[in-house]
Amino acid sequence: MTGFPLELDAAFWAVVAAAAVAGLVRGFSGFGTAMIVAPVAAAAYSPQVAVIIILIIETLPALPLVIPAMKRVSLAEIGPVVAGYALLLPAGIIFLTAGEPTALRWFMSVVILIVVMLLWRGWQYKGPRTVPVRVATGGLSGFLGGATSLSGPPVILYWMALRTGAGNVRSNLLVYLTVVELFSLVGFFIAGILTWPSIALGLACSPAFFVGLLLGARLFGLSTETTYRRVALSIVLVAAIASMPLLDGLWG
């Protein structure tokens, strides 16, 4: 990863495959990119490289889905969450730059497993839904986004628990995750994590992600909300477990 050209080795193709699957899942569920790609890319390269790959593959390819989704979102819901994200993003980036790679990978896996467990059990947030709560949700999202690229889990737990329907949740997530990527782009650039080799890897994975995204969008509406959630969470769970540092020896 010190220069060009990219090495088209097993690690590269594993990340490309993860990007394709992540695109498929995000296309029909509205989330899942970071939770699928992050553990795989962190295992193949490093957590710092993983966050840039995710940033690149999520930004431009998602725009065709984000623009129509903007008609269904609520600014009152998204605005405070975005503000909270911006506040704690720098703390997350500091955690990423100072953290030991293996420890960061374990942190990613643990966060993902906790989120999957809560969503699979149908956990519902029953507390107040005030502006401070939205800002706090965004703040946690910002810290995780900066530290591991897992900005989705806090807002997934907050919005999916509302049970307002797969369409509204999907729209909120599509727009929110795209908007906060812009904040992350600036933060990672300032921190010096946005390197050319990492950008090249992200660009190389983008076509696979985009194809999966389009296919997933076509699948949306062909099944039930429960099915979407179970399929998405099952794929996320497999990616998180298979990429744990404990299993590194199995993959060579």
Side-chain angles (χ1 to χ4, degrees), residues 47-243:
Q48 290 79 11
V49 171
V51 298
I52 302 305
I53 292 175
I54 294 166
L55 177 68
I56 298 299
I57 67 175
E58 281 208 304
T59 304
L60 293 179
L63 289 179
L65 295 178
V66 170
I67 294 174
M70 290 179 67
K71 300 177 182 179
R72 303 189 63 175
V73 302
S74 168
L75 291 179
E77 276 288 336
I78 288 185
V81 184
V82 170
Y85 185 97
L87 287 174
L88 285 188
L89 173 65
I93 293 177
I94 292 173
F95 184 82
L96 172 66
T97 56
E100 194 274 327
T102 300
L104 286 170
R105 287 177 57 198
W106 275 115
F107 182 66
M108 287 181 180
S109 295
V110 169
V111 170
I112 293 170
L113 292 176
I114 291 173
V115 173
V116 169
M117 179 184 68
L118 292 175
L119 288 174
W120 199 284
R121 291 177 62 86
W123 181 82
Q124 296 184 32
Y125 174 73
K126 297 181 180 179
R129 298 191 179 276
T130 60
V131 170
V133 171
R134 293 173 191 150
V135 173
T137 301
L140 180 57
S141 174
F143 176 79
L144 291 177
T148 65
S149 77
L150 298 170
S151 55
V155 292
I156 291 168
L157 289 170
Y158 183 74
W159 280 327
M160 290 190 74
L162 288 173
R163 304 292 184 180
T164 55
N168 289 334
V169 171
R170 176 176 174 272
S171 296
N172 281 347
L173 288 169
L174 281 169
V175 174
Y176 171 76
L177 292 175
T178 301
V179 169
V180 298
E181 293 298 341
L182 301 178
F183 288 95
S184 298
L185 177 65
V186 175
F188 292 144
F189 176 77
I190 294 173
I193 302 173
L194 194 65
T195 65
W196 283 115
S198 299
I199 293 173
L201 270 171
L203 292 174
C205 293
S206 292
F209 179 77
F210 187 57
V211 171
L213 196 68
L214 293 179
L215 180 57
R218 283 185 169 273
L219 293 175
F220 182 73
L222 299 180
S223 189
T224 65
E225 179 180 355
T226 300
T227 300
Y228 285 133
R229 182 178 299 194
R230 288 178 178 174
V231 170
L233 294 178
S234 296
I235 295 173
V236 167
L237 184 62
V238 170
I241 293 176
S243 303

